[in-house]
Amino acid sequence: MAYSGQPILVQDLLFRPEHSLIDQSLHSSLGETTTNGDGFGIGWYGEGAEPAVYKSIEPAWNDSNLREIAKQVRTPIMLAHVRSSTGTAVQRSNCHPFRYGQWLWVHNGVLRGFQKIRRDLLMAVDPDLFPYIEGSTDTEALFYLAMTFGLVDDPFDAVARAVGFVEDVGHTYDVDHPVQMTVATTDGESLWVFRYSSERHSRSLFFSTEISQLRALHPEVEVLRQLGAETRFVVSEPLRDLEGAWNEVPESAAAVVGPGTTALRPFAPIAPG
């Protein structure tokens, strides 16, 4: 889940919605697995020069410290993730979001054949960035490839080049459909999201309708009056069943999400060379 808007308590984002991310960690209806209990993490922007992260290998529904933090932290931008491991170890360094400088990154999906292609992917990471890789996941590798290909300057181009590189390496190892991803990344000001898979059958991803439109559609829903006009959510699964509230990100698409707008565009990998 990604949130952008006026500062809001984390508990209102994580625990209050009917089908919150905490509920999804136990009862995912659209995910690859129903239960996502291999750790979790949140990343948010506050008073510091860089975003803060809180990650744990505990299941999200069972972490009392998360509930305590969520009651006190207020933020204008947050990324949150519940993990179901695709083969790498259940350890804190493998939990999302991943952070470098001002940037946060979460990923739902898998780089297939990762153990075969891992060395080639990591060797392509900028040597100045390589020391910051802490874990063993495909997600972190993809993040640092995107950083290597220029995420700071042009997120759309950088992610397209990173995905193109992964596909190219995967094909040299006879890996079918190397990439399956929905990604959200932010620098604390804007939020970029991506939905793509090599087989053109990606995991689900939705963005929320503009709050003013939702208020007009559902004047009876009190929580909509409490959200700021610039509120935007990006989620793997809708947080509640509310007609007109959610818009599916199209297959092979990307978007920049900002105050009052979601600018969609086609997404295609850029092959090396």
Side-chain angles (χ1 to χ4, degrees), residues 156-157 160 193-196 249-255 263-269:
F156 292 121
D157 183 83
V193 298
F194 302 83
R195 184 182 185 215
Y196 174 80
V249 176
E251 181 70 42
S252 300
L264 284 164
R265 58 188 284 177
F267 176 83

Side-chain angles (χ1 to χ4, degrees), residues 16-169:
R16 187 175 180 182
E18 186 178 303
H19 188 45
S20 68
L21 196 67
I22 304 304
D23 180 68
Q24 291 177 36
S25 68
L26 273 167
H27 308 295
S28 172
S29 57
L30 299 179
E32 190 73 11
T33 58
T34 301
T35 304
N36 299 274
D38 294 330
F40 70 89
I42 61 173
W44 71 93
Y45 294 80
E47 299 300 319
E50 295 182 352
V53 296
Y54 175 67
K55 304 196 281 190
S56 172
I57 61 171
E58 292 286 329
W61 68 80
N62 196 43
D63 191 289
S64 58
N65 287 326
L66 177 61
R67 291 184 179 273
E68 290 296 317
I69 291 172
K71 294 176 185 176
Q72 301 294 334
V73 172
R74 191 178 296 271
T75 181
I77 297 186
M78 186 187 80
L79 298 187
H81 185 271
V82 291
R83 183 172 186 244
S84 178
S85 172
T86 55
T88 50
V90 178
Q91 59 193 44
R92 185 186 181 280
S93 59
N94 284 345
C95 294
H96 314 206
F98 295 93
R99 174 182 61 189
Y100 178 79
Q102 287 288 333
W103 289 81
L104 293 173
W105 175 281
V106 294
H107 163 229
N108 183 26
V110 63
L111 302 186
R112 295 187 179 92
F114 183 59
Q115 296 308 318
K116 289 183 180 180
I117 66 177
R118 180 171 179 258
R119 181 182 180 278
D120 288 44
L121 299 188
L122 294 182
M123 291 299 291
V125 171
D126 187 315
D128 291 335
L129 296 173
F130 189 87
Y132 295 96
I133 299 175
E134 297 180 347
S136 57
T137 68
D138 51 356
T139 295
E140 191 176 25
L142 185 61
F143 175 39
Y144 278 96
L145 282 172
M147 292 296 305
T148 298
F149 286 113
L151 186 68
V152 172
D153 298 318
D154 187 340
F156 292 121
D157 183 83
V159 175
R161 292 184 183 280
V163 171
F165 180 77
V166 173
E167 288 190 328
D168 185 67
V169 172

